[in-house]
Amino acid sequence: MATETLILDYSWSGTTAKMATVLEAVTGADKLDLTVAPGTFGDTMNATADIADEQRSADKFPALTTNLPNLNDYQTLLIGGPVWSGKVSTPIRTLLNQLGDFSGVVAPFYTDAGTPGGYEDEFESRLTKAQFVPGIGMTASDLRHADEQLAGWWRLFKN
């Protein structure tokens, strides 16, 4: 039988990880941090953005080094990642490509510098069988009030 909710997050700078930790406390869900091989990205955001642009152009995304559980054991996946150049970060693209036959509910949560661009549209377009639910985005400064905002989003999500 599927359990309720799993939070999966990739965080390059630690900002999305903070959001995921608050979301874990708010929801009581299981949580798994996603990782890629060391050296996959640069030491600066600009270098990382350049690498991500190259990955998108080549349609070749980084492998996740995290061992994923059977995602079909969950009814809901909350998937978090940073917004890179108004797009889904490439590690999250890798995860979305691996969802396969997952047919439960999927909602994004994401961090950005104030310009999420078409993040949710791109995220939703990557889902094949899952049911998309609108997510929530935050900037680093929003995290000061993350408990309240995420609790409000979660209440709306569950209704």
Side-chain angles (χ1 to χ4, degrees), residues 41-117:
F41 297 109
D43 293 336
T44 67
M45 189 59 239
N46 287 337
T48 296
D50 290 344
I51 292 166
D53 286 343
E54 291 171 13
Q55 292 169 341
R56 279 190 210 92
S57 292
D59 202 31
K60 185 173 181 185
F61 302 104
L64 298 176
T65 56
T66 307
N67 290 323
L68 295 177
N70 181 350
L71 299 178
N72 288 311
D73 289 344
Y74 293 89
Q75 296 171 351
T76 302
L77 301 178
L78 305 179
I79 299 176
V83 176
W84 289 349
S85 303
K87 298 181 181 347
V88 173
S89 63
T90 56
I92 296 301
R93 288 271 303 262
T94 298
L95 175 64
L96 295 175
N97 290 342
Q98 292 177 358
L99 288 183
D101 66 349
F102 180 78
S103 61
V105 174
V106 176
F109 65 95
Y110 49 95
T111 54
D112 63 78
T115 53

Side-chain angles (χ1 to χ4, degrees), residues 76 105-108 120 123-124 127 131-136 153 156-157:
T76 302
V105 174
V106 176
E120 288 200 36
F123 187 102
E124 183 178 15
L127 301 176
Q131 175 191 346
F132 175 81
V133 173
I136 185 169
W153 174 72
L156 289 173
F157 181 92

Side-chain angles (χ1 to χ4, degrees), residues 2 6 30 106 122 135 141 157:
L6 174 63
D30 295 341
V106 176
E122 180 188 356
S141 63
F157 181 92

